[in-house]
Amino acid sequence: MNNLAAAFKPKSLKLTPQRIAVYEMLKNTKAHPSAETIYNTIKEQYPTMSLATVYKTLKTLEEIGLVMELNVGEGNFRYDSNTQPHSHIVCNKCGKVDDIEDADLSHINEAVKKHTEYTVLSSKVYFYGICPECKTSDESSN
Amino acid sequence: MNNLAAAFKPKSLKLTPQRIAVYEMLKNTKAHPSAETIYNTIKEQYPTMSLATVYKTLKTLEEIGLVMELNVGEGNFRYDSNTQPHSHIVCNKCGKVDDIEDADLSHINEAVKKHTEYTVLSSKVYFYGICPECKTSDESSN
DNA sequence: ATCGCTGCAAACACTTTGCATCCAC
DNA sequence: GTGGATGCAAAGTGTTTGCAGCGAT
């Protein structure tokens, strides 16, 4: 939350309970939730919270670099409060999204510069597969 | 189009003019168009074509592996008739999407297996940057 | 002739916007 | 006190679906 205050002050953004709740919720999960999921979670404690506010807050947080949007190809966005470069893996069965933090993929940005005339600024890498839990339930259903 | 006939016959899918038009249009462009763009292009020659048919056709083509969906994070899907593994680069200025075909990124699937308990099946890599055309127009506007 | 495909319109899911009220500063 | 934020509802996108008529096999 100190993160929030520090980032908000110079932009004269207001530190509202709703914004704090959205950011704290994201900080405390590894699930990369969608706006809808964030809304449903927070609503339990902030019954007045509206989905539009969640969207507006996420957009604000993204603009100041505290949150990043993920798009794993489901047709909606997921959000991640880890803004360090890292890749993600999606379970093709249950749709879960996990971080992949330790694999160093930073060299691919360098590698690709030899093959394009674009100025390369960033990259997003998504892996797809089957998570351990779904592998286990596969076995039991066979 | 022989591709189409060959892929359709065993699945008893019908080879309609609309489906041919969608697939040929995708085969003849490098622009990774959205469904809407495909629709607008084809409509000139097939005025009766409907957007719903474009969507249905793209879904069918994807299911039989003749087309792949791209999701560069715009909130819609783009389509690519090149189903060989390759990555894409998106211009942050004009939104253009280009193929990156020569950079060998296949090793990242192997690399990531050391860092996850998922069974890794596939990956999607998107680079973001500025395309040569937009770099040039930047200079002239400065 | 059959069964799948088309095309229209309506429905849907996700996200954004307008605006009156509210509250952090 | 003021200007930005909230929350509702309505509108906007992109995509999917239902169904009657059509057309490829």
Side-chain angles (χ1 to χ4, degrees), chain B residues 23-137:
Chain B
Y23 186 63
E24 286 298 303
M25 190 274 182
L26 269 176
K27 270 291 183 199
N28 292 326
T29 181
K30 292 184 170 184
H32 310 86
S34 65
E36 187 89 34
T37 305
I38 296 170
Y39 169 63
N40 286 325
T41 304
I42 293 177
K43 200 171 43 175
E44 293 169 18
Q45 294 167 19
Y46 285 81
T48 80
M49 170 73 71
S50 100
L51 183 54
T53 299
V54 173
Y55 275 110
K56 286 170 188 166
T57 297
L58 289 168
K59 196 174 199 180
T60 303
L61 291 174
E62 201 206 355
E63 281 167 5
I64 63 179
L66 286 184
V67 149
M68 78 184 297
E69 243 174 15
L70 303 187
N71 198 323
V72 302
E74 296 167 317
N76 62 9
F77 290 105
R78 288 167 170 265
Y79 295 88
D80 191 340
S81 64
N82 177 358
T83 54
Q84 298 304 109
H86 66 290
S87 57
H88 295 90
I89 187 158
V90 184
C91 178
N92 284 339
K93 280 220 153 197
C94 67
K96 184 168 61 179
V97 178
D98 275 330
D99 289 314
I100 294 188
E101 309 207 44
D102 300 323
D104 179 16
L105 302 176
S106 56
H107 62 282
I108 68 173
N109 281 26
E110 293 309 314
V112 85
K113 286 177 184 169
K114 298 175 190 145
H115 298 284
T116 181
E117 295 182 12
Y118 281 58
T119 302
V120 181
L121 298 173
S122 63
S123 59
K124 289 188 180 169
V125 180
Y126 299 106
F127 296 96
Y128 298 85
I130 310 292
C131 74
E133 289 73 19
C134 285
K135 278 190 279 191
T136 306
S137 56

Side-chain angles (χ1 to χ4, degrees), chain A:
Chain A
M1 199 180 96
N2 281 324
N3 276 357
L4 267 194
F8 275 24
K9 190 170 289 183
K11 311 255 181 184
S12 37
L13 293 168
K14 291 183 179 169
L15 200 58
T16 65
Q18 292 88 338
R19 286 173 167 178
I20 296 170
V22 169
Y23 187 61
E24 286 298 303
M25 190 274 183
L26 268 176
K27 271 290 184 200
N28 292 326
T29 181
K30 293 183 169 186
H32 310 88
S34 65
E36 187 89 34
T37 305
I38 296 170
Y39 169 63
N40 287 325
T41 304
I42 293 177
K43 202 172 40 174
E44 294 169 16
Q45 293 167 21
Y46 284 82
T48 81
M49 170 72 72
S50 100
L51 183 55
T53 299
V54 172
Y55 275 110
K56 286 170 188 165
T57 297
L58 288 168
K59 197 176 199 178
T60 302
L61 291 175
E62 200 205 355
E63 280 166 6
I64 63 179
L66 286 183
V67 148
M68 78 183 299
E69 243 174 15
L70 304 186
N71 198 323
V72 302
E74 294 167 318
N76 62 9
F77 290 105
R78 287 166 171 265
Y79 296 88
D80 192 339
S81 63
N82 176 0
T83 54
Q84 298 305 109
H86 66 290
S87 57
H88 295 91
I89 188 158
V90 184
C91 178
N92 284 339
K93 281 222 152 194
C94 67
K96 184 169 60 179
V97 178
D98 275 330
D99 289 313
I100 294 189
E101 309 207 45
D102 300 322
D104 179 17
L105 302 175
S106 57
H107 61 280
I108 68 173
N109 281 27
E110 293 309 313
V112 86
K113 286 177 184 169
K114 298 175 190 146
H115 298 283
T116 182
E117 295 182 12
Y118 281 58
T119 302
V120 181
L121 298 173
S122 63
S123 59
K124 288 187 181 171
V125 180
Y126 299 105
F127 296 95
Y128 298 84
I130 310 292
C131 73
E133 290 73 20
C134 286
K135 278 190 279 190
T136 306
S137 57
D138 265 2
E139 284 161 23
S140 63
S141 68
N142 286 347

